[in-house]
Amino acid sequence: MDYKQKVTAALVQALDGQLTAEEVQAKLERPKTSDKGDLAFPTFTLAKLLHQAPQQIAQNLADKLDTTDFEKVEVVGPYLNFFFDKAGYSADTLKTVLTAGADYGQNQDGNNGNVPIDMSSPNIAKPMSMGHLRSTVIGNSIANILTKNGYHPIKDNHLGDWGTQFGKLITAYKLWGNEADVKKDPINKLVEYYVRFHKEDVDKPELDDIAREWFRKLEAGDPEAHKLWEWFREVSLQEFNDVYKELGVKFDTYNGEAFYNDKLAEVVQLLKDKHLLVESEGAQVVDLSKYDLNPALILKSDGASLYITRDIATALYRDRTYSPVKNLYVVGSEQTYYFKQLKAVLEEMGVKSAPNLQHVPFGLITVDGKKLSTRSGRIILLAKVLEESVKLAQEEIAEKNPTLANKDEVAKQVGVGAIVFGDLKNERTNNIDFVLADQLKFEGETGPYVQYAHARAESILRKAAHVDVTADANQLTDPLAWDTIKALADFPQIVKMACDELEPSVIAKYAIRLAKTFNKYYAHAKILTDDAELSARLALVKAVSTVLKEALRLLGVQAPDEM
Ligand code: ARG
């Protein structure tokens, strides 16, 4: 039983059940420093209920309390301060961490239930934006967190590889494009054609008719249109894969919008069977007034399908293939309304997993104050941001640790890790302005700071002759060691909280806290001094290294042993 539960149980008993365990737990506070106890119970809010002064309540409770589980319990004004049995607690915590290793914090809450995660999902023939980066790294981290909680995530890259824009692109390519240019620099070239199309069609509206005709041909399976589309898709995917490789993100499937083309007729039929389709100005829509939402447009008047039509087919497919216990869409908050409509349509259709559909939104990202937009041509390429970050990391390492072996590999881990961590440490719904140089600092709340704490721990362990993972932690008397132990003991709760909230920032903030606590300890304890506590200190360092590395792994960030 962990300490929070021990404290709760003792209080519930002393209160004669006047508060439930949950009510007690909600009131518990963590004192700022350990000399004021390890958990505190404030009594002000009980004054009304018990018709007594808070100080009196605290004193009465202390008199009644069963304190056998604790080192001591102190009354300070209206507070009851609990001090844990440090020796026992430290020994338990270190033993648990060191025997579990990377599995520490693993739980089976998810019962291996399937959780498709719609993530990344960039659009073919367009550069991957910072928004897609957010979706990729948030989705990837949520997948890791779900696995840690016993779920079975399926990372699904729902590529935007269908839609009328491909009619425009084919038109533009046939007018101004050539194969060799595209091969040299695929996405940039394709964007150039696309931008030119939008410039020229202002004066030449006939271009739009040609584009519509090409998309119609594409939908009808015309060989030339299909071949071009397939080629655009392939070269785009190659570029996307370079970014995924750099980020270390893998997908379980790349079924994009086009994959669902042949599944749309069934969707329309199902909607008809349920009498959900109504005609509106020639188009087919589903009325959602009962949900207080605008109608969902399913088929245009010319019979063309839409984004939502393909998403309904996708959800149906995932429902049948996976029977999802959760069905997640990691997509920017600008699509919040859209996902409400999608969920409502699926509920109307009676799709079994519809109630499990959850949009996991995130805020806008700007880089060094600049917004991204494909149309205007003012694009900050994601690949460029990563490249730049790795370059800065290289310079930093050249300055700080010029003799480091495998410098380039480490620079990559640090540079890419800085971007990923810099994103994930923010609550995902916040908008962020990304100042590249800030993310790379070895100080402050950055990825490199956490990586550096880990590397520091590893460097101590390399210097030590031998690390005894069964070392007796009873001997760790240092108060800063105690703070570090408590931070380690929090990890399993943190893993659960991150999963409940689908919030990687919970892990990132924890990693910063553990790194800070450890750095304080490290700065003042002489860890390698050969005395009776040496093996206990080394065991603590090993445990810190293990948990920092695991926390970073959950975020999708690497932890080099040296940097
Ligand atoms: N391709 C879309 C975009 O870039 C995101 C797709 C999100 N996933 C979905 N199932 N609708 O905006």
Side-chain angles (χ1 to χ4, degrees), residues 29-41 72 74 76 79-83 486:
E29 294 173 5
R30 196 193 345 232
K32 285 231 163 56
T33 51
S34 291
D35 58 329
K36 302 203 173 55
D38 301 310
L39 272 178
F41 183 69
K72 61 178 174 182
E74 275 179 5
V76 179
Y79 282 96
L80 272 173
N81 293 340
F82 291 80
F83 293 77
K486 282 196 292 179

Side-chain angles (χ1 to χ4, degrees), residues 118 121-123 132 158 160 257 307 311 329 331 335 338-339:
D118 191 303
S121 314
N123 301 318
H132 297 122
H158 191 74
E257 293 183 40
Y307 183 50
D311 253 330
Y329 292 78
V331 185
Q335 293 190 34
Y338 169 78
F339 280 105

